[in-house]
Amino acid sequence: VADLDGNGQDELAVGCTIGAVSKGAIVILYLRGALSGAGTTPTPSLLVTATATISDTSPNFGPLLSMGDLFGYSSLAALPTPVGDGTFRLAAGAIGDSTVATSVGAVYVLRLYGNGTLLSPPRKLVTGLNGFNAPLSRYAAFGSSLATVSDLDGDGLPPLHAAPGAVGRVFEATA
């Protein structure tokens, strides 16, 4: 993700599981760049200066995750934030989400402050919620891959492409 702490170094968002229930979480690693090495060939290295964890126990998260949702575990995508208010957006797949059917999957769009705290509850994209009506079947693992592409319609918001793992189709949503 972009430089969140103003030190000139981009940060890193990593999906993981916390505990034995596999709900999933995202850890943001705040990085500081450094050069080390002898002679004329410096060796770049990075130092983690701070971390922030985002999960369903975070303030403002809102919806509770269920065991096996795997929120953020398989895919993350940084989304451009046109607002310029010091926040950033991040999309996270939750391939085990069973809101609609067994392991159909979901995508969460989060809006965060630079310190990793949530500005508001995430927007959940799953069939039948928030205007997303794509037909997904059981075990689709929707959100197993995420990508942003260029703004194709000129509205200032590049679309988010999300693909289900087993189906092989790409769905587009303006996040």
Side-chain angles (χ1 to χ4, degrees):
V1 295
D3 176 19
L4 304 177
D5 57 10
N7 71 356
Q9 176 68 53
D10 288 346
E11 318 310 348
L12 183 63
V14 180
C16 62
T17 61
I18 294 179
V21 294
S22 302
K23 288 182 173 185
I26 300 167
V27 177
I28 298 174
L29 304 175
Y30 293 84
L31 305 174
R32 182 179 72 210
L35 290 176
S36 62
T40 59
T41 311
T43 305
S45 63
L46 295 174
L47 175 66
V48 176
T49 59
T51 62
T53 301
I54 304 156
S55 71
D56 67 348
T57 61
S58 299
N60 262 350
F61 192 87
L64 292 178
L65 298 170
S66 297
M67 185 169 70
D69 277 357
L70 296 172
F71 165 76
Y73 183 74
S74 67
S75 61
L76 296 169
L79 303 171
T81 304
V83 181
D85 61 0
T87 64
F88 71 100
R89 295 183 312 148
L90 187 65
I95 60 172
D97 183 275
S98 297
T99 301
V100 176
T102 305
S103 295
V104 75
V107 173
Y108 288 82
V109 178
L110 301 94
R111 191 156 175 209
L112 302 125
Y113 292 107
N115 65 2
T117 59
L118 289 160
L119 174 71
S120 57
R123 182 174 167 208
K124 184 176 180 179
L125 301 176
V126 66
T127 299
L129 288 178
N130 292 314
F132 184 73
N133 293 310
L136 296 170
S137 60
R138 290 177 49 183
Y139 305 107
F142 177 64
S144 60
S145 62
L146 299 171
T148 57
V149 295
S150 298
D151 179 12
L152 302 175
D153 61 7
D155 67 357
L157 296 171
L160 170 68
H161 284 201
V167 179
R169 293 180 291 180
V170 174
F171 298 98
E172 178 177 308
T174 301

